[in-house]
């Protein structure tokens, strides 16, 4: 009998069962339609709460406990698939595109914290009407920034539509879109650069979870600047180069579309200045979920792998109180640093103000003159306890940046995510703001874009565009609403603006109404009573000049700015003749306007944005552009247009 049991155990080992309590299964998920990998597929171990998502290349890895027999794969627009795992360690899966237009609908509204279930027609649950449709729920639709975001998730078939209202306390700062400005009254447009990309990865998280994002979560400039573009770097030892490209607006061919591209110089890692980093980690109770503190740990370890002996890092945590977990430690002592990271545990309330003050104290004690002195804050932004108000923290951060200590912010998690607070802190601290929704995004931020994330090569970068009224009737800057400056700020070196890191690119689009075009966006204003409006445009030597672009920047250790400028001629390319980067970036802008349901979207459609993105995909080595196309296709399924089509079919 004993021999028989021994043979059974040996046979089990030979057939793939692992000793211990779990094993790792990996593989890639493809579309059965075009055999392309699918990023963002949700994978769960049936009968457990264990789950993961496919990365940018469609690959996944999941730890499966003993006794588990199957995995379930889910993604918007595809049939759910359950797969028996047997003894396999590698499991590739092909998902079948769904032949149903939509079986799950997620829309958002705002109401007080409350849960209830209701039944109703999809067409009557369009987003603007949601607050009125929730009978018995106190709403605050006019001021969504101060209320709770409610998710209405479809939980049954199209024939029997039921919706569950779920609490969501995420907060986003309201965005008032830039309007078209008349060149006659406002010939100058001035703004600060922005290299943050948090909005795109946050939007991706919403869509991959089967939900369209709230409009104010969509910052078009951050979506565009998430992607790398093929721009030539600066010459003559300058830190930044400027590029322009002019064509016709794809959503309104009567308008022009101007792309302004900035490219920062790239510094080799071995030549980067020494770093004095302080990791400031939120370990409060709100961080106790798989997509928060565990992901923070994995992210920071990737950053630690990039550190050199001349770099040093300290670790500060905060919950009910703040404390130093690791004093400043040389970058080559990776085991010591990683052990300190591994020992972090979540629990308690959140005294964010105390944590920030302590982090600045540690950074100041270890200041490297001429080096990269930076605090890296990792949090969900839910600062709910502490003596310091938001204003106090912002003033402290503004003061400390003058001493050369910058603040970068990494956002994690969902449900109670405080985007508005974290964006503000990073802006005040002259740092980057990134949203880390998965380990692939962490790798992009800390490995692929290490230099750009942490090392500034140009600070206080501003642009000012002067439009020629003989050529331009009106203009509109797409995005950058929270980066607009007064015209006087351009020459004021005391005015803070955005920074650019090693190798960073920045793209900005202007939509232009040419002179002489009759347009719905142009509204006449009565003549002034006390001033005359008879000024005529100044004749220019180059009659085709459309505008002049000026940009200012400072060297990282300088307080005096430098000025450069270029002139743009009124010679637009045919849209089909533009670069792949122009096409792709304009597709992202179009997609952003659709997600925001912008009043300026004009003839934009998801179908057109997707087709343009495909045309501009180019040499997509890392797969980020392919992922965008997938996201746009998923969003199209969830859009109001899709809901209307479903209603028509009934």
């Amino acid at each position: 009998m004993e021999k028989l049991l021994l043979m059974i155990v040996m046979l089990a080992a030979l057939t793939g069962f692992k000793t211990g309590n779990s094993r790792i299964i990996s593989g890639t998920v493809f579309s059965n339609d075009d055999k392309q990998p699918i990023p963002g597929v949700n994978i769960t171990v049936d009968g457990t709460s264990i789950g993961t998502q496919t990365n940018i290349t469609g690959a996944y890895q999941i730890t499966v406990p003993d006794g588990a027999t199957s995995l379930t794969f889910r993604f918007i627009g595809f049939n759910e698939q359950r797969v028996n795992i047997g003894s396999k360690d590698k499991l590739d899966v092909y998902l079948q595109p769904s032949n149903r237009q939509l079986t799950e609908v997620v829309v958002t509204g705002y109401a007080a914290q409350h849960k209830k279930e209701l039944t109703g027609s999809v067409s009557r649950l369009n987003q603007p009407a949601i607050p009125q449709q929730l009978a018995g729920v106190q709403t605050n639709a006019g001021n969504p920034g101060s209320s709770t975001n409610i998710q209405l998730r479809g939980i049954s078939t199209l024939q029997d539509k039921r919706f569950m209202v779920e609490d969501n306390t995420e907060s986003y700062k309201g965005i008032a879109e830039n309007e078209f400005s008349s060149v006659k009254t406002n010939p100058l447009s001035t703004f600060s650069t922005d290299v943050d990309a948090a909005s795109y990865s946050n939007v991706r998280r919403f869509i991959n979870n089967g939900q369209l994002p709230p409009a104010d979560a969509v910052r078009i400039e951050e979506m565009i600047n998430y992607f790398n573009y093929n721009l030539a770097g600066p010459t003559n030892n300058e830190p930044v180069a400027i590029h322009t490209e002019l064509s016709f607006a794809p959503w309104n061919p009567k308008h022009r579309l101007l792309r302004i591209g900035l490219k920062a110089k790239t510094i080799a890692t071995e030549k980067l200045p020494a770093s004095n980093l302080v990791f400031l980690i939120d370990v409060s109770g709100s961080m106790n979920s798989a997509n928060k503190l565990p992901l923070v740990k994995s992210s920071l370890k990737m950053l630690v792998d990039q550190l050199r002996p001349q770099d040093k890092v300290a670790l500060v945590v905060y919950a009910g109180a703040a404390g130093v977990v690791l004093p400043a430690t040389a970058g080559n002592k990776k085991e010591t640093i990683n052990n300190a990271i591994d020992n972090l545990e979540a629990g308690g309330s959140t005294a964010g103000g105390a944590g920030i003050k302590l982090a600045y104290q540690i950074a100041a004690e270890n200041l490297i003159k001429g080096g990269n002195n930076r605090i890296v804050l990792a949090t969900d932004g839910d600062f709910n306890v502490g003596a310091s108000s938001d204003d106090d923290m912002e003033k402290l951060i503004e003061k400390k940046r003058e001493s050369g200590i910058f603040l970068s912010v990494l956002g994690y998690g969902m449900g109670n995510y405080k985007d508005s607070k974290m964006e503000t802190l990073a802006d005040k601290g002259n740092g980057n703001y990134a949203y880390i929704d998965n380990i692939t995004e962490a790798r992009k931020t800390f490995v692929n874009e290490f230099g750009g994330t942490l090392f500034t090569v140009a600070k206080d970068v501003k642009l000012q565009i002067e439009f020629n009224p003989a050529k331009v009737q009106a203009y509109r800057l797409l995005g950058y609403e929270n980066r607009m400056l007064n015209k006087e700020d351009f020459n004021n070196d005391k005015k803070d603006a955005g920074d650019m890191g090693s190798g960073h690119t920045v793209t900005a689009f202007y939509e232009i109404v040419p002179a002489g075009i009759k347009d719905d966006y142009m509204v006449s204003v009565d003549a002034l009573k006390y001033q005359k409006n008879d000024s005529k445009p100044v004749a220019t030597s180059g009659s085709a000049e459309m505008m002049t672009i000026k940009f200012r920047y400072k060297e990282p250790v300088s307080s005096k700015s430098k000025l450069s400028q270029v002139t743009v001629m009124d010679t637009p390319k045919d849209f089909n003749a533009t670069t792949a980067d122009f096409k792709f970036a304009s597709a992202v802008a179009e997609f952003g306007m659709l997600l925001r349901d912008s009043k300026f979207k004009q003839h934009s459609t998801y179908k057109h944005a997707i087709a343009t993105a495909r045309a501009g995909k180019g040499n997509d080595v890392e797969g980020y552009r392919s992922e965008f196309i997938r996201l746009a296709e998923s969003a199209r399924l969830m859009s109001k247009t899709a809901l209307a089509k479903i209603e028509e079919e009934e």
Side-chain angles (χ1 to χ4, degrees), residues 490-542:
F490 183 71
N491 291 329
N492 182 0
D493 281 349
K494 294 182 179 180
K495 183 66 178 179
D496 183 58
D499 300 336
M500 295 185 68
S502 172
H504 263 155
T505 61
V506 171
T507 288
F509 277 116
Y510 275 94
E511 184 174 352
I512 296 167
V513 182
I517 297 293
K518 290 186 178 180
D519 197 277
D520 293 338
Y521 295 109
M522 297 308 303
V523 179
S524 62
V525 178
D526 291 343
L528 297 177
K529 180 178 180 181
Y530 302 107
Q531 297 182 44
K532 291 184 178 181
N533 286 329
D534 55 359
S535 60
K536 296 181 180 179
V538 177
T540 58
S541 56

Side-chain angles (χ1 to χ4, degrees), residues 256-308:
R256 305 276 198 269
L257 187 64
L258 172 72
R259 178 191 175 212
I260 301 173
L262 300 180
K263 172 72 173 182
K265 68 179 178 181
T266 300
I267 303 176
T269 301
E270 62 273 12
K271 294 183 178 180
L272 291 169
S275 289
N276 163 35
L277 302 177
V278 179
F279 294 162
L280 175 58
I281 314 302
D282 181 353
V283 293
S284 63
S286 68
M287 293 289 287
N288 193 19
S289 61
N291 60 357
K292 293 188 180 180
L293 188 57
L295 186 55
V296 170
K297 292 181 180 181
S298 299
S299 303
L300 294 181
K301 286 181 180 180
M302 288 184 179
L303 177 53
V304 171
D305 286 342
Q306 310 303 309
L307 298 179
R308 305 157 300 175

Side-chain angles (χ1 to χ4, degrees), residues 17-32:
F17 290 97
K18 310 294 182 188
T19 58
N21 297 321
S22 63
R23 63 189 172 112
I24 295 175
I25 294 178
S26 61
T28 304
V29 181
F30 300 91
S31 167
N32 195 48

Side-chain angles (χ1 to χ4, degrees), residues 370-414:
N372 173 38
N373 300 282
R374 188 177 300 265
I375 295 169
V376 180
L377 169 62
T379 179
D380 58 12
D382 198 2
F383 302 148
N384 50 22
V385 174
S388 297
S389 68
D390 288 353
D391 286 343
D392 289 337
M393 279 194 290
E394 290 172 18
K395 289 176 182 177
L396 172 67
I397 292 167
E398 287 180 325
K399 180 180 179 181
K400 292 297 183 180
R401 79 184 179 209
E402 299 302 324
S403 67
I405 302 173
F406 296 165
L407 173 70
S408 290
V409 180
L410 307 176
Y412 293 82
M414 64 177 74

Side-chain angles (χ1 to χ4, degrees), residues 182-360:
S182 169
V183 173
K184 190 173 183 179
T185 55
N186 294 291
L188 296 175
S189 175
T190 310
F191 69 101
S192 161
T193 60
D194 183 8
V195 296
D196 294 342
S199 180
Y200 178 79
S201 49
N202 191 29
V203 164
R204 177 177 62 201
R205 183 255 301 184
F206 273 103
I207 295 174
N208 282 340
N209 286 337
Q211 180 185 0
L212 289 175
D216 290 334
V218 182
R219 292 187 289 274
I220 290 176
E221 74 280 6
E222 292 187 18
M223 295 187 65
I224 294 170
N225 287 322
Y226 178 86
F227 301 92
N228 290 321
Y229 300 104
N230 185 27
L231 296 174
T235 57
N236 300 325
N237 205 32
E238 295 294 329
V240 182
I242 186 168
H243 303 269
T244 63
E245 191 171 7
L246 181 67
S247 185
F248 299 91
W251 47 83
N252 186 345
K254 291 183 179 180
H255 292 180
R256 305 276 198 269
L257 187 64
L258 172 72
R259 178 191 175 212
I260 301 173
L262 300 180
K263 172 72 173 182
K265 68 179 178 181
T266 300
I267 303 176
T269 301
E270 62 273 12
K271 294 183 178 180
L272 291 169
S275 289
N276 163 35
L277 302 177
V278 179
F279 294 162
L280 175 58
I281 314 302
D282 181 353
V283 293
S284 63
S286 68
M287 293 289 287
N288 193 19
S289 61
N291 60 357
K292 293 188 180 180
L293 188 57
L295 186 55
V296 170
K297 292 181 180 181
S298 299
S299 303
L300 294 181
K301 286 181 180 180
M302 288 184 179
L303 177 53
V304 171
D305 286 342
Q306 310 303 309
L307 298 179
R308 305 157 300 175
Q310 63 266 40
D311 302 323
K312 51 188 175 181
V313 61
L315 187 59
V316 174
V317 299
Y318 65 92
V324 179
V325 172
L326 180 75
T329 302
N332 59 345
K333 296 183 178 179
K334 301 188 189 305
E335 185 176 354
T336 301
I337 301 170
N338 286 333
N339 285 340
I341 293 172
D342 283 334
N343 289 331
L344 298 177
E345 293 183 358
S349 54
T350 314
I356 288 177
K357 289 179 181 178
L358 180 57
Y360 273 114

